[in-house]
Amino acid sequence: MNRQADAARKFVVAFNRDRDCYQVPLALHAAGMLEALVTDFYRSDNALVQRLTPKRLRRRHTAGLPGNMVHSSLKALLLQVYHEARDAGGDGWYLQVDEQLSRNAADIAAAGSADLLLYSQYALEAFTDARLARRQKGLFFYHPHPTLGHEILTADFARFPECAWSVNNATELVNEVLKARIDSEIALADFIICASSFTRHSLIHHGVPAERIRVVPYGAEPIRRAAPAPKTSARTQFLFVGQGMQRKGLHHLLHAWKQARLENSTLRVICSKLDPGFEPLLDQPGIEYSGAVSRAEVLEAFAAAHIFVMPSLYEGFGLVYLEALASGCFLIGTPNTGVPDLGLPGDMARLVEPGNVEQICSVLRETERLRAAGAMDHGAIVRFADSLSWSAFRRRIVETLNQPELQARRHG
């Protein structure tokens, strides 16, 4: 039996930590459609409690989402604190967190009449709860499906053996228990929302009918932006920010940089984690490498850069691209990310084929020439980035959930 589409219907949302800056529950709350957010910890609105909150948890809050709309799971939080204190390896214990949050979401939904909009990994127990058999089950799928991801990384490893460490540590792709959990959630979902067309493609590749999937691209991070930097450096400043892992395509960029032999450019590489196999590739002219740096230093690097380049093999979206645009950076990305969903004009970005070192090399040379000729309008890029806001994302989330065909569809 289909539930009647009703603008007043509500959803329970669940995820761990501060996923997507709380934008999905924030969107639903503003529209009067949020029953509750279930998460491990959300900072209290009480000023005294805020002062007593450990520093690392104080950012677990966002304006516009009051604490009384959030159910924090002490058990889920303590599980993480305990295992992280023991420096426990592997992801097995994280499944206990996922299961706890899903059960809490089920209990809250069962106490009322709310439907479910749960992030992947946090949905299985709620989706299979007999009390919720007649509720609509929505899944927010924020990473590409691991089957396609595994195929892409395996094929790349055959060409670039220096990626061995990355391949061996891609636990999200080799954890069969987690993969089975995700696949079960997909099979039970009435509809799926994802943030990029590539994630949608990965689900279709897995066998999900296209009509069950909606794409709602992310918006720019809600950071306080200063006036656009003049970017007056005589040398063209390229920038890579991200984990130095196979999936981010850093090895392809470094091989391309070596081939390009740019004479008037610098590539700054900022990585919180680095595949040891990539270290020799960093030792070449024009490259400035930094490990983990402060948030302030990252923002300074964006402000100074002319061109942001991250030729990822795949991304669920790649919020770092939006940060780069917000700082006026020209983008070099790949189709296997959220960049194609941004609608960027051709004078603000280039797409390269993932893993195609020769094409990356060619685009590095082209964009160096464009920048030197004054053909990059960094102010226009900032203005375009302003249209890619979180508010637009929130509006589209609500519009998507209110589509009559989506409200009426039930799977299985």
Side-chain angles (χ1 to χ4, degrees), residues 30 41 57 72 106 127 136 160 176 186 250 257 278 294 333 350 356 377 388 390:
F41 178 83
L57 295 175
S72 296
F127 280 4
Q136 195 173 43
F160 299 94
E176 291 300 323
I186 291 170
L250 176 60
W257 186 266
F278 298 169
S294 69
R350 291 289 184 275
N356 189 328
D377 188 338
L388 306 173
W390 274 126

Side-chain angles (χ1 to χ4, degrees), residues 40 206 285:
D40 61 329
H206 177 64

Side-chain angles (χ1 to χ4, degrees), residues 172-347:
E172 73 275 14
L173 301 181
V174 299
N175 187 325
E176 291 300 323
V177 175
L178 178 57
K179 183 176 180 296
R181 179 180 180 84
I182 290 171
D183 287 348
S184 296
E185 293 173 342
I186 291 170
L188 292 163
D190 295 312
F191 65 88
I192 301 172
I193 297 176
C194 48
S196 70
S197 296
F198 180 74
T199 300
R200 179 179 184 269
H201 167 67
S202 76
L203 290 166
I204 294 172
H205 179 80
H206 177 64
V208 180
E211 62 269 17
R212 286 176 55 206
I213 311 169
R214 297 291 186 277
V215 176
V216 182
Y218 285 137
E221 285 196 331
I223 58 175
R224 182 171 56 85
R225 300 194 199 116
K231 299 182 186 289
T232 55
S233 169
R235 294 176 64 83
T236 299
Q237 304 292 322
F238 290 85
L239 175 66
F240 173 99
V241 176
Q243 292 190 349
M245 306 284 283
Q246 178 194 19
R247 184 168 64 83
K248 301 292 184 179
L250 176 60
H251 54 309
H252 305 137
L253 172 59
L254 297 177
H255 281 296
W257 186 266
K258 186 173 184 178
Q259 289 185 22
R261 299 182 182 276
L262 303 182
E263 296 182 356
N264 194 36
S265 294
T266 299
L267 170 63
R268 183 167 185 195
V269 176
I270 299 177
C271 299
S272 59
K273 183 186 296 184
L274 180 67
D275 186 323
F278 298 169
E279 289 182 12
L281 296 171
L282 289 165
D283 186 17
Q284 53 178 299
I287 293 181
E288 300 174 356
Y289 170 71
S290 302
V293 300
S294 69
R295 177 65 176 164
E297 190 169 346
V298 170
L299 293 177
E300 288 175 5
F302 278 126
H306 300 105
I307 302 162
F308 179 79
V309 51
M310 191 172 76
S312 296
L313 284 165
Y314 67 90
E315 300 279 347
F317 184 87
L319 285 169
V320 68
Y321 293 117
L322 293 174
E323 289 189 278
L325 288 171
S327 295
C329 296
F330 186 98
L331 289 189
I332 300 175
T334 74
N336 292 3
T337 67
V339 174
D341 297 294
L342 299 178
L344 284 163
D347 58 355

